[in-house]
Amino acid sequence: MKNILLVVVLFISHTISTQNSFFNQVDSIKVISNGNELNSPWMGGINAAQFSKIDVNNDGLEDLFIFDRTGNTISIYINNGTTFTFNSDYSKSFPPLEYWALLRDFNKDGKKDIFSYVSGGIGVWENTSVGTEISFNKLTFTNYTTNTQDPYMLSYQFGNQTNLFVSKVDIPDINDIDGDGDLDVLSFGVLGSRMEYHQNFSVENGHAFDSLTYEIKNACWGHFLETGFNTNTCVLFDTCTSNVANPHAPIINNEKHSGSTILSINLNNDTIKDLILGDVSFSNVVALYNDNTGVNANTSFISQDTLFPSNTVPVDLYLYPGAYYEDIDFDGVKDLLVSPNIDTEAQNKESVWFYKNFGSNSIPSFNLISKNKFQSEMIEMGKSSHPVFFDYNNDGLTDIFISNFGRFDLSTPSHYISSISLYENIGTITSPKFELVTDDFQNISSLNIDKGLYPTFGDLDNDGDVDLLLGDFSGFIHFFENTSSSPASFNLSLTTPQYQDNDGNVIDIGYAAIPHLFDVDSDGDLDLTIGEALGNINYYENIGSPSSPSFKFYSDVFGGIEVAEWFTNIGYSIPKFFRNQQNELELYVGCESGYVLKFGDIENNLSGTFQLIDTLQNVNIGPNASPSVSYLNDDTLPDLILGNERGGVSLFLGSLENPISINEIEKKQLHLFPNPCKDFLNIGNLSSFEFQIFNSIGQELINGRSYGEINVSKLKKGIYIIKVENNFNSFMSRFIKM
């Protein structure tokens, strides 16, 4: 972390409590589903997964690396010898990655390196971890391509060294194609639907395995054409007339490549790789079998299987499957994993198809075992989860309700079925434990209200039981009255669809109504705040009574809060008010970017701008962050549950210990103005300096040289630390970007 380890801080003013608390992610709290204890309940969900293996802790066992295209999130499962168990620590040690990521050991040092998308091609991060036992904070990667003065891998083509192009929608194949021990690349080029073979000449050039030196050696490798029109059946024996003898020159044609996933694999025990291809427009994969005549000769694929694997249930994932080849059942034989390479309009709750290999690595025989591998061992809601802490049975223990955008289902017009799951706390006041009661609370999915449901609970009619307001994706709010005679049970009835305000107007906030009932003005009745897709917060004051609510529109820019990033108008604000042990009112707001923003200075300031206290950057586990805050373990520190777009949930317990290690922080501070700032930050007491700006988890975001003013307009809203060096002196200070 650039010779410093940064501390996550709360920006403290006279209105904020001096007791700072933090949230630490935990995986240990047990969850029971259908009588079975889930192995990794708090993993956070899977939508569009890519699988690789890596030994993250240097114990000789390869652990599982899962990269999800949804939010570019990384999850690590530790290999315990007979099982994989989710561990939330190690993912923090990987660099930020985008679109696709494959782990391969390019330099044969026994440590897997990272190949991932960079603009226009492939970036490489070398595994530079050292030590005999690697803890999560000692797992390190160094950008190899940046060290060689290029942001991406190069390949000799067109008579020049140019970037080895890979589209961000594709997944290339990085494997030893020619059998010489180094890693070659198969990919689809900028133009056309033919496959390029880029040979690695590291060994041939006498560099052993310590370099990545590529040359395009065949521009239509395998002599096939992926048409991508009404079928993803490939055209075999494509003549490739513009390919030269001893193929080298790329083909130029007018076909436009749309998107493919590539896996090279030996399917028939010969010496040349076969292929498994996925296409962006189709639900199946195609297996192509080669003729075994040699890599750089006119090798051709001579047959194909469009219903692969045809001996069992073929792959059928609606859109754009990607295939991966790793041993996940500990028998030493690689298995086939298939998951969508797209996070919209795709399978989401059953999006990891596991085909066990009953054959060998050279003659595999795949059989479908599960459509929800790993997902069956976690809380998984499909697309976009929204957890809410609430004691539904009035037993003093906090339970969890979780709604969703929807489970993918082609039988419905919208392709999604939305529901609410209930996990009852069956533990104790100090040791929570949760058990699934139902995955369709009160059969709400049968009402076909809409997708994108979001619940909030409160006794709106003052009859001693708790009622329900339910928001939906279309922007409406629906009122469910609880007619149960017991405060420990629910009997909900939809009495007012499309709830109205005090003037009789239907409350319609646009898209993605996220309601929250809370007595914001402390007058004894429940007010209504509503987040929405645009990222602002709507406030409706209850001008009625505790037994007869009447919500009057007050503001659609409540607290001056706007969580959309500078480059988009989509924010997905999810507000949650919370009163802490010091009786201070706090507001947590989840947003599309994945951050949870914490605000104070609320009471006696309802018409003003709330103060941003923290951005909780260490709890960012993916886009569409959906928080709920409560006390789970009978201490004085609030705890946090967080949903996300992948459909799972993650749990964070409050702690007085900082989750980020502290080494040192300079006592000398800078004269920063304005602070908070918007687009520019000025250093008042220095005229020329080198600077670095870090987020609160130690990642460097900006660096450079300045003469007093720094452009911070592209930073997200939040709290940052700036380090300045001037005349061999080092200064650090904090600032807020609004």
Side-chain angles (χ1 to χ4, degrees):
M1 296 186 184
K2 304 293 183 182
N3 299 320
I4 58 172
L5 292 174
L6 302 178
V7 55
V8 176
V9 297
L10 299 182
F11 187 85
I12 302 174
S13 73
H14 67 282
T15 61
I16 304 300
S17 168
T18 58
Q19 184 188 42
N20 295 345
S21 63
F22 307 94
F23 293 107
N24 290 333
Q25 189 168 2
V26 296
D27 311 316
S28 57
I29 292 179
K30 300 183 185 304
V31 176
I32 308 298
S33 177
N34 298 318
N36 299 311
E37 183 178 314
L38 299 182
N39 175 268
S40 302
W42 310 106
M43 183 270 193
I46 295 177
N47 276 2
Q50 303 163 22
F51 298 90
S52 299
K53 299 282 280 294
I54 179 175
D55 185 358
V56 295
N57 53 5
N58 201 27
D59 63 355
L61 301 175
E62 283 209 309
D63 310 297
L64 189 63
F65 169 94
I66 303 178
F67 179 81
D68 202 311
R69 185 178 281 265
T70 303
N72 300 313
T73 52
I74 296 170
S75 302
I76 300 296
Y77 277 74
I78 298 298
N79 184 341
N80 300 313
T82 57
T83 59
F84 288 108
T85 302
F86 173 65
N87 183 295
S88 60
D89 290 327
Y90 285 92
S91 61
K92 302 177 179 68
S93 300
F94 286 81
L97 306 173
E98 290 187 301
Y99 298 110
W100 60 266
L102 301 171
L103 305 188
R104 305 287 188 264
D105 183 7
F106 82 86
N107 53 9
K108 302 296 183 182
D109 64 353
K111 297 180 292 188
K112 293 285 184 69
D113 311 297
I114 302 172
F115 292 76
S116 185
Y117 175 81
V118 294
S119 181
I122 303 175
V124 181
W125 287 259
E126 182 182 359
N127 188 336
T128 53
S129 305
V130 296
T132 56
E133 184 175 351
I134 300 174
S135 58
F136 70 91
N137 57 352
K138 294 181 180 179
L139 184 66
T140 60
F141 296 91
T142 301
N143 194 316
Y144 177 87
T145 41
T146 298
N147 290 342
T148 59
Q149 308 305 311
D150 292 296
Y152 36 64
M153 292 198 321
L154 301 177
S155 181
Y156 184 78
Q157 45 192 329
F158 303 102
N160 295 291
Q161 290 283 354
T162 58
N163 61 306
L164 200 166
F165 176 81
V166 174
S167 166
K168 66 183 180 182
V169 302
D170 283 0
I171 296 181
D173 182 71
I174 301 173
N175 206 342
D176 181 10
I177 300 299
D178 57 2
D180 65 354
D182 55 24
L183 294 173
D184 309 300
V185 176
L186 296 175
S187 67
F188 287 94
V190 179
L191 299 173
S193 298
R194 295 181 174 92
M195 184 166 291
E196 295 180 351
Y197 164 53
H198 295 263
Q199 183 180 352
N200 189 347
F201 278 84
S202 178
V203 172
E204 286 81 355
N205 291 340
H207 298 300
F209 302 106
D210 59 356
S211 65
L212 296 169
T213 306
Y214 288 93
E215 180 178 346
I216 187 169
K217 292 301 294 182
N218 200 326
C220 54
W221 188 77
H223 289 179
F224 74 95
L225 178 67
E226 188 184 53
T227 61
F229 295 122
N230 296 322
T231 175
N232 63 340
T233 301
C234 296
V235 176
L236 303 181
F237 306 107
D238 184 47
T239 57
C240 303
T241 54
S242 54
N243 216 2
V244 298
N246 189 24
H248 178 278
I251 294 173
I252 305 298
N253 56 44
N254 295 321
E255 296 151 1
K256 186 177 180 180
H257 175 65
S258 55
S260 297
T261 61
I262 309 168
L263 172 65
S264 67
I265 181 175
N266 194 345
L267 292 173
N268 52 9
N269 198 29
D270 59 18
T271 60
I272 307 301
K273 298 288 188 183
D274 308 297
L275 291 181
I276 297 177
L277 297 179
D279 187 277
V280 68
S281 301
F282 300 94
S283 64
N284 63 315
V285 296
V286 176
L288 295 174
Y289 296 84
N290 65 63
D291 65 356
N292 195 28
T293 62
V295 170
N296 287 319
N298 286 325
T299 184
S300 296
F301 291 107
I302 59 175
S303 64
Q304 60 185 309
D305 183 357
T306 60
L307 295 174
F308 186 83
S310 55
N311 62 298
T312 183
V313 179
V315 172
D316 184 8
L317 277 169
Y318 185 63
L319 280 180
Y320 206 7
Y324 310 90
Y325 198 35
E326 299 287 357
D327 175 22
I328 64 164
D329 59 1
F330 308 95
D331 63 357
V333 180
K334 291 186 177 181
D335 308 295
L336 185 68
L337 293 163
V338 186
S339 186
N341 193 41
I342 187 172
D343 58 3
T344 57
E345 281 295 294
Q347 293 284 355
N348 47 41
K349 196 168 183 178
E350 293 186 336
S351 60
V352 181
W353 288 29
F354 164 46
Y355 290 86
K356 179 177 173 58
N357 187 351
F358 286 91
S360 65
N361 290 334
S362 57
I363 312 178
S365 176
F366 299 119
N367 280 272
L368 180 65
I369 302 299
S370 171
K371 293 184 178 182
N372 59 351
K373 183 66 176 175
F374 303 111
Q375 294 172 298
S376 63
E377 292 292 332
M378 66 182 69
I379 297 174
E380 171 63 86
M381 298 294 295
K383 179 179 175 62
S384 293
S385 53
H386 300 292
V388 175
F389 281 132
F390 181 69
D391 180 8
Y392 91 101
N393 54 2
N394 203 30
D395 65 354
L397 302 177
T398 301
D399 309 299
I400 302 172
F401 289 84
I402 311 174
S403 65
N404 61 0
F405 182 87
R407 170 176 56 84
F408 188 78
D409 191 313
L410 284 175
S411 68
T412 64
S414 70
H415 291 180
Y416 291 97
I417 296 178
S418 298
S419 61
I420 302 174
S421 294
L422 167 60
Y423 288 82
E424 181 183 348
N425 189 343
I426 60 172
T428 66
I429 192 69
T430 58
S431 181
K433 179 180 180 180
F434 298 95
E435 182 172 19
L436 177 66
V437 175
T438 176
D439 60 5
D440 191 5
F441 181 67
Q442 298 286 293
N443 296 313
I444 283 176
S445 69
S446 64
L447 300 178
N448 297 317
I449 295 174
D450 196 3
K451 55 184 178 290
L453 302 181
Y454 192 96
T456 182
F457 298 92
D459 186 1
L460 288 175
D461 50 13
N462 201 29
D463 63 353
D465 56 34
V466 176
D467 309 298
L468 170 70
L469 284 183
L470 191 64
D472 67 28
F473 184 70
S474 296
F476 299 112
I477 305 291
H478 312 278
F479 174 57
F480 290 76
E481 183 181 359
N482 187 357
T483 60
S484 171
S485 59
S486 169
S489 64
F490 274 85
N491 184 23
L492 295 178
S493 175
L494 177 57
T495 58
T496 312
Q498 298 189 3
Y499 201 64
Q500 299 174 349
D501 63 15
N502 66 303
D503 291 325
N505 300 314
V506 172
I507 297 175
D508 179 4
I509 56 89
Y511 287 102
I514 311 292
H516 180 50
L517 289 168
F518 194 90
D519 185 4
V520 176
D521 54 8
S522 301
D523 65 351
D525 55 29
L526 293 173
D527 305 298
L528 177 63
T529 54
I530 310 174
E532 62 167 288
L534 294 181
N536 54 295
I537 297 177
N538 303 269
Y539 175 45
Y540 288 78
E541 181 185 358
N542 189 348
I543 61 172
S545 67
S547 59
S548 181
S550 179
F551 294 110
K552 179 180 180 180
F553 176 73
Y554 185 91
S555 173
D556 60 0
V557 288
F558 191 47
I561 295 172
E562 170 55 64
V563 299
E565 302 292 343
W566 64 272
F567 52 84
T568 178
N569 62 352
I570 301 299
Y572 282 106
S573 51
I574 301 179
K576 286 293 172 59
F577 283 97
F578 178 76
R579 193 168 288 280
N580 63 27
Q581 289 287 334
Q582 291 76 41
N583 200 34
E584 298 162 327
L585 186 60
E586 301 170 338
L587 173 61
Y588 293 82
V589 183
C591 51
E592 170 66 16
S593 67
Y595 290 104
V596 177
L597 310 180
K598 182 180 178 182
F599 294 88
D601 191 23
I602 300 169
E603 295 177 282
N604 302 315
N605 187 31
L606 297 185
S607 60
T609 299
F610 303 156
Q611 181 185 24
L612 177 66
I613 302 173
D614 200 359
T615 50
L616 303 185
Q617 296 186 42
N618 69 299
V619 308
N620 191 329
I621 48 95
N624 206 0
S626 185
S628 189
V629 183
S630 185
Y631 294 102
L632 281 181
N633 51 4
D634 199 34
D635 60 16
T636 61
L637 301 172
D639 306 304
L640 171 73
I641 192 170
L642 197 61
N644 69 87
E645 191 174 354
R646 290 174 289 135
V649 294
S650 300
L651 190 61
F652 299 80
L653 296 184
S655 173
L656 292 176
E657 295 183 5
N658 196 317
I660 308 300
S661 299
I662 303 173
N663 184 21
E664 65 173 308
I665 184 166
E666 299 284 351
K667 293 182 180 179
K668 299 177 182 178
Q669 293 197 343
L670 302 167
H671 177 209
L672 306 180
F673 69 92
N675 189 13
C677 63
K678 186 176 182 182
D679 295 324
F680 293 93
L681 178 69
N682 292 274
I683 311 294
N685 50 344
L686 293 175
S687 59
S688 176
F689 51 87
E690 301 283 341
F691 70 91
Q692 297 166 285
I693 294 178
F694 302 85
N695 63 20
S696 59
I697 59 175
Q699 295 172 323
E700 181 183 305
L701 304 178
I702 303 175
N703 66 67
R705 184 168 189 83
S706 177
Y707 296 91
E709 184 178 75
I710 302 172
N711 188 335
V712 295
S713 60
K714 293 187 178 181
L715 290 177
K716 298 176 171 63
K717 296 177 182 178
I719 296 175
Y720 297 90
I721 299 176
I722 183 170
K723 181 182 181 183
V724 168
E725 293 185 355
N726 171 265
N727 295 328
F728 305 104
N729 293 314
S730 180
F731 306 88
M732 291 182 65
S733 192
R734 308 172 182 90
F735 70 93
I736 293 180
K737 165 66 167 60
M738 299 299 293

